[in-house]
Amino acid sequence: MLSISSRELRFVAPGAVTLGGLLGEAIEANRRGRLSTFITGPDSPAIAIFDPVAVAVNDGGDWYGEHAGKWLYAAARAAVGWGDAALLGRVRAVADHLVALQDADGYLGNYPPHRRFTVKQPPKPFSWNGEPAFRTWDIWTHAYLILGLLEVARATGEARYMASARAIGDLVWRTLTQSEVRITDLGNHFGLSATVLLDPACELYFATGEQRYLDLALLVLDQAEADPRSAFLTAALAGADPSEIATGKAYQLLWNLVGLAKLHRATGEDRFLAAVYFLWERVRGDHLTLGGGPWGGVAHRSREVFNAAGSFSPYGYVETCSTMAWIQLNRELLAILGEAKFAQAIERSAYNDLLGAQASDGEDWCYYSFPNGKRVHTTYWRCCKSSGAVALEELPGIAYGVTANGEVAINLLGASTATLEVPGIGTVRITQTTGYPFGNSIDFTVEADGAPVPLLIRVPDWAESATLSGNDEALTPDSFVRVETAGTVALTLPMKPRLHRAMARNVQESLTPDGSAVAQEVLRQEYVALTSGALVYATRLIDGFKAEETVRLDADAVAADSEGALLLTPRDRAPIKFEPYYRAGGRHDGAWRLTWLRLAPEDVT
């Protein structure tokens, strides 16, 4: 069985941490943009679809009901975090409207009676993604409603929102135990879009302490495991690659892993954590872009599934929903295990693929982002606009953590302030003063009535030769360094430009008639990309019009200029200017970004 050293972290409540710098700007834009304009009250289109007249004719169903729960979750957090009374008032009004629409049996979706998850549907026809003629996102919508209502209950302290969430959980329990309906009947992708109920079922258990919600989570897992196509726990423990589980749909699989991690927290069962950790390692090793988002779209029938392990293309896609789920999965593992690499994964995806999908107005988002490709801001109803908003609102709560023995873990680097309750010390205020991710030094100032506070300061995985004031030992990248202080300590992070290589390669393997192995390389395309510190860099269209470029590089081809940009100087042509990916080309619809440039083929002799 997997053995992992553990340092559990308790994250802080919304409002205890304020992020500044790039992340703070993105979160403020999110509050002023997406969270304040998409839904303004019960008459907003995303809420109006729950009204009885609209529900009665909604035979197609689909996923649009998810926006309500996502918005409640993110907006409630933002309202508390920023002390925004007006936003909290709108959250309350929307939640009250939805609660008033809830049926006596607990149903709170937007499907007509004959299409609801409580009704046994005809068998699904087989298809590559397990999708029936009528899609079944009813449980998916209710899963987000539970999470949203629970967050509103925390924000307001009012019991009716908790009661509404519990009523949904009770209805699902009755349906799965008192009828012929099984959870895998209720979702696409061989049931994975319904088994995501693992997460909200665990949250109901954590919020109420009632055994029946833990039993519900275990029942969902058991029913998932009963279908070999959706048995993600068994597949993970057997060493399967994420691309091989069900349809390999990144968003759904990662959300199921979030639920499985929470089920480990609820039960203590090691196999749940082992499965999550195994798949996390596979995703990190084989299924992330340089910007940290899960990617798909390479020679596959769907843009949103994990690519086959070992495949590479600079034109692969990152779905913003999948980036959100990846951040949430790392949040859970960071809480359970307290290891720096999970915070590193969050920071990498946040500063690059997440911010790279958000427009500067905070309302527009890319559904898909491309390492090499054009920004395309998606349409009104698309899921990723709400997922991006949720992902940003996760970041303040993840930025700091407190261990049971009174250590403060600083997980996300960047300008911020935090007011924390630390065991054995009391109230502690910590401030990060820095220009990070551009500046290479961070001052950590502690205020705690003169008492020294043990800090666990994360050293990024790219930070070779980092130093901490008052510490004579060499710092290990991708780890925490422990220091006790009642004042200020400074972390210095050398931010040298780095050149990364990737390869699209195909080797034809076969056996000759005598059984001898033959391996012949038939494709080899090598690419280079640039990072500096936490940021991935990209260039605009080459020479103002070319979407591709082939370069020949010498050892000293990369340098930083006086404005903080990076210059790549190939042989035989003028330097190419790179800027941070999130803003490369301008944060507007239609802007081009090129992260990877192709290397010239090897000389043939």
Side-chain angles (χ1 to χ4, degrees):
M1 185 56 65
L2 181 70
S3 176
I4 314 173
S5 61
S6 176
R7 180 196 281 132
E8 293 185 10
L9 294 181
R10 172 179 56 82
F11 294 137
V12 298
V17 175
T18 300
L19 299 185
L22 280 185
L23 298 182
E25 291 169 4
I27 291 168
E28 170 61 3
N30 191 45
R31 180 176 67 96
R32 290 185 287 100
R34 181 66 177 174
L35 299 180
S36 294
T37 59
F38 174 58
I39 293 175
T40 58
D43 58 345
S44 296
I47 304 303
I49 62 175
F50 290 88
D51 291 340
V53 173
V55 169
V57 296
N58 185 34
D59 277 353
D62 236 319
W63 71 84
Y64 302 121
E66 71 169 37
H67 288 294
K70 286 181 176 179
W71 182 83
L72 288 174
Y73 180 90
R77 287 190 158 221
V80 173
W82 288 93
D84 189 333
L87 181 57
L88 187 59
R90 291 194 292 274
V91 167
R92 194 190 302 268
V94 169
D96 286 343
H97 177 74
L98 291 172
V99 169
L101 292 175
Q102 190 168 27
D103 290 351
D105 66 356
Y107 185 84
L108 186 53
N110 63 322
Y111 281 54
H114 66 283
R115 289 275 289 115
R116 293 178 178 177
F117 71 80
T118 54
V119 177
K120 181 73 172 176
Q121 299 295 315
K124 300 177 185 178
F126 180 81
S127 63
W128 79 267
N129 65 345
E131 189 168 279
F134 282 109
R135 298 209 253 187
T136 53
W137 295 90
D138 203 13
I139 282 285
W140 177 272
T141 291
H142 280 84
Y144 272 119
L145 284 168
I146 291 173
L147 295 176
L149 288 164
L150 289 176
E151 200 61 39
V152 177
R154 295 185 189 104
T156 63
E158 296 182 17
R160 64 183 179 278
Y161 307 123
M162 174 80 73
S164 178
R166 290 171 58 172
I168 295 172
D170 294 343
L171 175 61
V172 178
W173 172 258
R174 293 194 302 272
T175 300
L176 297 182
T177 58
Q178 299 176 17
S179 74
E180 297 179 357
V181 174
R182 295 294 177 263
I183 195 69
T184 49
D185 299 333
L186 302 175
N188 307 304
H189 298 279
F190 300 120
L192 289 191
S193 61
T195 56
V196 296
L197 193 75
L198 268 177
D199 177 359
C202 287
E203 285 296 324
L204 281 169
Y205 172 68
F206 295 145
T208 66
E210 295 185 18
Q211 181 65 34
R212 69 176 180 274
Y213 300 121
L214 179 55
D215 292 341
L216 173 60
L218 292 167
L219 176 63
V220 167
L221 181 61
D222 286 345
Q223 291 189 357
E225 288 292 291
D227 185 341
R229 298 169 299 181
S230 61
F232 58 90
L233 173 62
T234 296
L237 293 175
D241 188 81
S243 63
E244 301 167 344
I245 299 176
T247 61
K249 183 71 161 59
Y251 182 10
Q252 274 81 346
L253 182 56
L254 291 172
W255 191 8
N256 275 281
L257 295 180
V258 170
L260 194 59
K262 291 182 179 180
L263 196 55
H264 163 77
R265 282 204 282 129
T267 65
E269 284 205 37
D270 289 341
R271 65 191 179 109
F272 298 157
L273 179 59
V276 173
Y277 189 81
F278 291 165
L279 286 179
W280 178 87
E281 284 195 311
R282 297 298 295 270
V283 172
R284 184 184 65 161
D286 294 320
H287 298 288
L288 298 178
T289 66
L290 192 60
W295 67 320
V298 178
H300 202 284
R301 53 189 166 242
S302 171
R303 299 169 294 273
E304 300 159 3
V305 303
F306 284 117
N307 296 320
S311 61
F312 172 79
S313 169
Y315 306 104
Y317 303 4
V318 177
E319 183 195 19
T320 299
C321 290
S322 300
T323 301
M324 173 199 70
W326 175 243
I327 288 172
Q328 292 174 328
L329 176 59
N330 280 279
R331 175 200 66 197
E332 292 305 309
L333 287 170
L334 180 60
I336 295 168
L337 299 171
E339 295 185 20
K341 59 189 175 184
F342 305 117
Q344 176 67 46
I346 293 168
E347 184 173 280
R348 176 185 171 193
S349 55
Y351 274 123
N352 296 291
D353 281 339
L354 182 61
L355 292 194
Q358 184 195 33
S360 57
D361 64 4
E363 164 57 26
D364 288 320
W365 285 82
C366 300
Y367 192 135
Y368 304 117
S369 297
F370 307 85
N372 285 26
K374 184 174 70 172
R375 285 187 70 113
V376 178
H377 292 167
T378 193
T379 54
Y380 178 87
W381 284 103
R382 287 299 177 181
C383 50
C384 288
K385 300 180 81 170
S386 289
S387 290
V390 169
L392 284 172
E393 295 306 325
E394 296 284 8
L395 299 179
I398 296 170
Y400 294 80
V402 180
T403 69
N405 61 353
E407 298 167 316
V408 177
I410 300 174
N411 301 315
L412 298 186
L413 303 179
S416 63
T417 59
T419 303
L420 314 171
E421 293 301 318
V422 179
I425 297 176
T427 302
V428 173
R429 179 179 173 86
I430 299 176
T431 303
Q432 291 189 57
T433 305
T434 180
Y436 188 91
F438 298 105
N440 65 354
S441 65
I442 306 172
D443 289 341
F444 302 92
T445 301
V446 173
E447 301 171 63
D449 294 328
V453 177
L455 301 182
L456 301 172
I457 299 174
R458 185 174 62 82
V459 181
D461 63 355
W462 46 263
E464 301 288 344
S465 304
T467 60
L468 184 68
S469 61
N471 183 80
D472 296 329
E473 298 179 4
L475 303 186
T476 303
D478 208 15
S479 68
F480 288 105
V481 57
R482 189 181 190 279
V483 61
E484 292 194 15
T485 182
T488 299
V489 294
L491 179 67
T492 302
L493 302 167
M495 291 188 180
K496 299 177 182 178
R498 297 180 63 186
L499 192 69
H500 299 260
R501 291 175 179 257
M503 184 187 305
R505 184 171 182 258
N506 191 310
V507 177
Q508 185 183 56
E509 297 177 330
S510 61
L511 296 177
T512 64
D514 66 2
S516 301
V518 177
Q520 181 181 24
E521 184 177 78
V522 295
L523 172 69
R524 183 187 185 96
Q525 297 173 344
E526 296 190 60
Y527 296 85
V528 291
L530 302 178
T531 63
S532 181
L535 297 175
V536 174
Y537 281 66
T539 189
R540 307 184 183 201
L541 290 172
I542 304 295
D543 299 329
F545 70 96
K546 291 186 289 188
E548 296 183 358
E549 181 64 300
T550 301
V551 295
R552 301 174 68 190
L553 300 179
D554 295 320
D556 58 350
V558 185
D561 71 7
S562 59
E563 299 177 352
L566 300 183
L567 295 178
L568 182 71
T569 305
R571 273 180 267 162
D572 308 319
R573 69 150 294 149
I576 302 171
K577 184 176 180 179
F578 282 69
E579 55 192 321
Y581 173 82
Y582 77 91
R583 71 180 192 216
R587 301 179 73 179
H588 56 80
D589 190 40
W592 275 81
R593 297 178 286 199
L594 306 177
T595 304
W596 296 94
L597 301 185
R598 187 174 173 184
L599 283 174
E602 296 175 346
D603 292 338
V604 178
T605 58

